[in-house]
Amino acid sequence: MILKQGMERLLDQLKAEIHKRLPVDLGDTVAEFANQCYADLNLADFNGRELSDICGSTLGSWGFIQNHNLAMPKVRVFNPEHQQHGWQLGHTVVAILARNRPFITDSIRGELNRRTLTIHTIHSNTLAIIRDSDHQLLELLPARSGMKTPGSSRHCEEVLLYLEIGRCTDSEELSDIVIALQDILNEVAVVVDDFDAMSKRGRDIVDDIANISVLSEFQRSETQSFINWLCNDNFTFLGYEKLAVSQCEGELNISKVAGSELGLLRHRSTFGQFDLHNEISAASDPKQLLDNHVVFSKSSVRSRVHRQVYPDYVAIKRFDAEGDIIGEYRFMGLYASQVYTLSPSLIPLIRHKVREVLDRSGLVLESHVGKDLVRLLEVFPRDELFQSHVDELFTTTMAVNQIQERRQVRLFVRHGCHKKFVNCLVYTPRDIYHTGLRVKLQTLLCDAFGAEESEFTTYFSESILTRTHFVLRVNPSNKIDVDIQALEEEVVKVTMSWKDHLTKYLLEEFGEEQGAELTHSYSEAFSPGYMDDFEPRTAIYDIRKIATLNNGDDIAMSFYRKLDDSSILCFRLFHRDRPLALSDVMPILEHLGLRVESEHPYGIKRRDGQRIWIHEFRLTFGLGTSIDFDKVGNFFQEAFLRIWKGDAESDCFNKLILGARLGWRHIAMLRAYARYMKQIQFNFSGEYIAETLSNHLNITGKIVELFDSRFDSRFNSDQQGGDEARQQHEIALEEAIIETLDDVENLSEDRIIRHYLALIKATLRTNYFQRDSNGQLKNYFSFKLSPSLIPDMPLPVPMFEIFIYSPRVEGVHLRGGKVARGGLRWSDRMEDFRTEVLGLVKAQQVKNAVIVPTGAKGGFVAKQLPTTGGREAMQEEGVSCYKIFIQGLLDVTDNLKEGEVIPPQDVVRKDEDDTYLVVAADKGTATFSDIAN
């Protein structure tokens, strides 16, 4: 009531605005026009509209109806702009003026919906208008007027249809819409104008059927009743044609009877002649044609009148007195909406099919199963009742009835009689049905049968099953060979929920007993976000990864490439109890040369309450080289794990893992040499050195190969010819590197590469390939060097030097001769601890030149001192670093056999006076050093 009162006030304001803009007489007429257009609308239809725009729209509509040739519908599609039209709107306007006929609004609305254009507003008004011979408007009669005006032409009812749709700015699209709507209005006119003639033709056929003596009385009666039923508002006639059959010298001729066409079939070619020819040719004897004298089928061209669906064909065969077929009547149209809910017992011909199915079933109709079959036939899709032969209908309905309200998924397929359509009935449990599932089923069936187009109808009832009827349009010339049983299995897979698939895969992967346990633990563990993003197969892999966390590992990981986009790398981290801090993870990934495009965390909560977090990172690789996953996948994961545990450092050297396909220890070796370069005052930063190696991946690989060739006994054993062959191989590698340097344009990069060569050649011994007491390669490195072989060394140059590197400690030990005595120092000069030690060497040479002409000095820095725990914690870390440093010195002394390990506690012994005794040997000569705490 409030809306109505508000609408009346709006109309009063609108009429006042119209009178402001127009002369009095014209203003009254336009005000009456506005009243007819808007009287039945609600105020909500004008929300957000300015009164001036409503008035401009009204005046525009008034101008639109001024001239109209009733023989031609008038269509306008435009975007109102204030400067051009006097009003504006954010939507596109569709205005239609046509002789008032049924189906116009439905047909126009159906076309716009087919184009997926959103309809925001739709007004349909029937106007009584008097026009002159030039089609100009003379008078707008009062609403619902049926009078004729004396002295003028009689009035005509015209429909003014006004729609607002989603805005279209493409001029070609706007023009296409206009053409399509005009064509549809013309089709509506043909159908409506011929409707009575088509209905009369149907009633005439009733009389013709009475004269077909070869049909039984029952056939004639049922057919006549059916045609009368069609004509009693149960069928919207869209078209009609009559076919004639003749034989000439054994040749079957089928032709369309000239002038018989009505409705849409006046202008549309059909497959009627071809279909009838196939039916006659396929019949083994004339009786088959008599038994199927009424044929139901579908048109393969959608209707644009009334409803956007495939129209139905009803074909009634004509026979002569001898029972030979002489022709066919064909009606095309749409069953009225009430037909789809009408009891089959009230539809002639169909009621006979239903009764025959019930009789064949042999069921007692009063029994539970019998009642179920009766109820099933009552609600069975009408298209299936019309188009199925009794045999097909019996087979399908009996199979459906045997489901007996069980949670099953079933597929039933029927091919149309003219091979233009495949009809699929899919029964699914109601609680799992949703639009996404229907789309998947529709896609699966369309792909299986090669459908060009499809439509569906879903039926819900009190049953636990939902029925979806898919109608698939196929090319009749294509051979369809589909294994229905295999297709049904695919349908079952599609209908299975994510959790159903997970359970199935767990049982397959782990066996019944363990699979049942895992199902109990994980059936409700995965979040909706995880299930949306990943297939159940992925969950199986993740469950295996999670199992490694149960074995005590801190994290688990997976590194892989997306199949659908090879440019995207994926890295998954698994962690217990709480999510990982991105600030801890992302710098590691970036140092590995990866750009983090996105990160998604997924929480998993098992039934026992244990929470696991999965972080998936989408990554891209920065270096201009391809990644060989088979070679670097394990390198990457091991490197990340070592960095995470602190066995390796996180810096820009790590991008070489993917770029140069190197393991983390090789990267650490290159990093160690770079750190040593810094200590001997080689004037380039570690970042620049790493960048140089990344810019020349081929050279970097050869540097690593040269290092392996010199120091890895396994590498050397592969060389035929012993030491001489190894030396030749090293010379060839060095020459190849130097030759490649000709292509290195940057002088600084050239110097860095040459310095790597010099350092490797100056290295006398290393523990890089030694293993600890557990058989694991050591995570700290010792390099015994001959400094005299290294260019530009700071003076004085010792005879030997040992450089120790690990993520926790770095240090040097400088010796002036084979027998030397001196102390070690815990330094705090991270950047230049060697300079400090070298200064001590100079001082020792000055002070002890006579006593110890060849002294020794060493020093180390602890790189990961704790920030909490006070002096005691720092002291503990310092002692640990000291032991690593001492063990590193011993690892490269001459009397140690390859692979031999001396545990730190056997080397470093704390005396009563709080000093440490270090025993070191070189070429059998013992050196003793007393070191302060």
Side-chain angles (χ1 to χ4, degrees), residues 145-163:
S145 173
M147 300 184 304
K148 293 182 181 179
T149 303
S152 69
S153 63
R154 63 182 179 84
H155 84 278
C156 179
E157 285 191 346
E158 301 179 34
V159 61
L160 174 63
L161 189 61
Y162 172 90
L163 304 98

Side-chain angles (χ1 to χ4, degrees), residues 508-676:
E508 289 177 355
E509 292 282 332
F510 298 97
E512 187 171 351
E513 182 177 356
Q514 187 182 1
E517 292 177 2
L518 291 172
T519 298
H520 179 76
S521 295
Y522 287 99
S523 60
E524 301 295 331
F526 295 94
S527 65
Y530 183 99
M531 291 188 287
D532 287 342
D533 292 346
F534 303 107
E535 295 294 328
R537 284 287 187 191
T538 303
I540 301 298
Y541 180 84
D542 289 345
I543 289 171
R544 290 188 182 276
K545 283 291 183 181
I546 291 169
T548 65
L549 295 176
N550 295 337
N551 294 332
D553 289 347
D554 179 37
I555 60 171
M557 66 193 76
S558 173
F559 185 53
Y560 62 97
R561 191 195 301 271
K562 286 184 67 65
L563 293 176
D564 56 350
D565 186 354
S566 60
S567 65
I568 296 295
L569 308 175
C570 295
F571 182 54
R572 294 161 76 83
L573 283 173
F574 302 78
H575 193 255
R576 284 182 299 179
D577 300 329
R578 65 185 184 278
L580 295 168
L582 293 181
S583 58
D584 293 337
V585 178
M586 291 184 66
I588 299 176
L589 295 175
E590 290 172 353
H591 282 147
L592 286 163
L594 297 166
R595 175 183 174 86
V596 179
E597 302 293 342
S598 64
E599 183 273 339
H600 297 280
Y602 301 93
I604 297 173
K605 186 176 182 181
R606 296 191 311 214
R607 195 176 294 273
D608 61 5
Q610 176 70 60
R611 291 192 69 91
I612 299 97
W613 287 89
I614 300 177
H615 298 263
E616 174 161 287
F617 297 86
R618 300 290 176 89
L619 312 166
T620 53
F621 184 50
L623 294 184
T625 183
S626 60
I627 297 178
D628 187 340
F629 251 72
D630 294 335
K631 294 182 178 180
V632 303
N634 290 334
F635 285 169
F636 174 86
Q637 293 188 78
E638 185 180 7
F640 185 93
L641 184 61
R642 292 290 183 171
I643 295 168
W644 185 260
K645 290 183 174 181
D647 294 336
E649 294 191 73
S650 178
D651 60 21
C652 47
F653 278 90
N654 290 331
K655 69 176 65 175
L656 295 169
I657 291 172
L658 295 178
R661 304 179 181 92
L662 299 174
W664 73 273
R665 297 186 85 255
H666 277 136
I667 302 303
M669 177 269 293
L670 294 171
R671 180 187 296 112
Y673 277 122
R675 295 292 174 82
Y676 182 67

Side-chain angles (χ1 to χ4, degrees), residues 21 126 155 229 368 378 409 479 489 649 673 687 698 788 791:
R21 300 191 184 190
T126 302
H155 84 278
W229 176 84
H368 173 72
E378 282 286 323
V409 176
K479 182 181 179 181
E489 292 174 0
E649 294 191 73
Y673 277 122
E687 290 79 5
N698 184 43
S788 61

Side-chain angles (χ1 to χ4, degrees), residues 236-248:
T236 300
F237 293 100
L238 299 179
Y240 166 80
E241 66 183 1
K242 183 179 180 180
L243 303 179
V245 177
S246 62
Q247 294 274 354
C248 182

Side-chain angles (χ1 to χ4, degrees), residues 685-705:
S685 68
E687 290 79 5
Y688 186 73
I689 293 172
E691 192 67 29
T692 297
L693 296 177
S694 298
N695 291 339
H696 307 285
L697 296 175
N698 184 43
I699 296 177
T700 302
K702 285 185 170 59
I703 290 173
V704 170
E705 187 179 353

Side-chain angles (χ1 to χ4, degrees), residues 334-543:
L334 306 171
Y335 291 108
S337 57
Q338 71 269 12
V339 173
Y340 293 92
T341 56
L342 189 66
S343 171
S345 62
L346 301 177
I347 304 175
L349 294 179
I350 305 305
R351 60 194 177 196
H352 173 64
K353 288 185 182 181
V354 170
R355 172 49 56 186
E356 190 167 345
V357 169
L358 292 173
D359 291 343
R360 281 198 199 181
S361 71
L363 297 173
V364 177
L365 300 186
E366 290 75 18
S367 68
H368 173 72
V369 179
K371 289 179 179 178
D372 283 347
L373 182 58
V374 172
R375 184 164 52 248
L376 171 64
L377 288 164
E378 282 286 323
V379 298
F380 210 62
R382 292 299 174 264
D383 284 349
E384 294 302 299
L385 291 178
F386 279 113
Q387 297 168 34
S388 298
H389 296 299
V390 174
D391 292 341
E392 295 173 324
L393 188 61
F394 172 77
T395 301
T396 301
T397 54
M398 290 301 294
V400 173
N401 203 47
Q402 289 170 3
I403 298 176
Q404 288 291 308
E405 288 297 301
R406 289 174 292 172
R407 290 180 56 82
Q408 292 185 354
V409 176
R410 294 297 308 276
L411 167 68
F412 302 95
V413 176
R414 181 184 62 81
H415 295 268
C417 62
H418 298 136
K419 299 181 181 180
K420 302 173 192 173
F421 291 91
V422 176
N423 298 268
C424 300
L425 288 175
V426 179
Y427 287 84
T428 58
R430 183 174 56 186
D431 59 339
I432 70 169
Y433 182 87
H434 54 85
T435 300
L437 174 60
R438 190 267 303 163
V439 171
K440 290 180 180 178
L441 290 171
Q442 197 164 355
T443 301
L444 172 65
L445 295 173
C446 286
D447 290 344
F449 291 102
E452 299 173 344
E453 201 174 11
S454 65
E455 60 184 26
F456 72 95
T457 305
T458 302
Y459 174 73
F460 296 92
S461 68
E462 71 282 356
S463 169
I464 66 168
L465 299 177
T466 296
R467 183 194 72 210
T468 307
H469 182 209
F470 295 98
V471 179
L472 315 178
R473 183 171 66 82
V474 297
N475 188 336
S477 62
N478 293 340
K479 182 181 179 181
I480 296 177
D481 185 13
V482 177
D483 185 333
I484 303 302
Q485 183 175 352
L487 181 59
E488 185 176 57
E489 292 174 0
E490 291 297 317
V491 168
V492 171
K493 289 180 182 178
V494 169
T495 58
M496 289 173 66
S497 69
W498 195 94
K499 295 177 183 178
D500 291 336
H501 281 289
L502 177 63
T503 299
K504 177 176 178 289
Y505 295 148
L506 284 172
L507 294 174
E508 289 177 355
E509 292 282 332
F510 298 97
E512 187 171 351
E513 182 177 356
Q514 187 182 1
E517 292 177 2
L518 291 172
T519 298
H520 179 76
S521 295
Y522 287 99
S523 60
E524 301 295 331
F526 295 94
S527 65
Y530 183 99
M531 291 188 287
D532 287 342
D533 292 346
F534 303 107
E535 295 294 328
R537 284 287 187 191
T538 303
I540 301 298
Y541 180 84
D542 289 345
I543 289 171

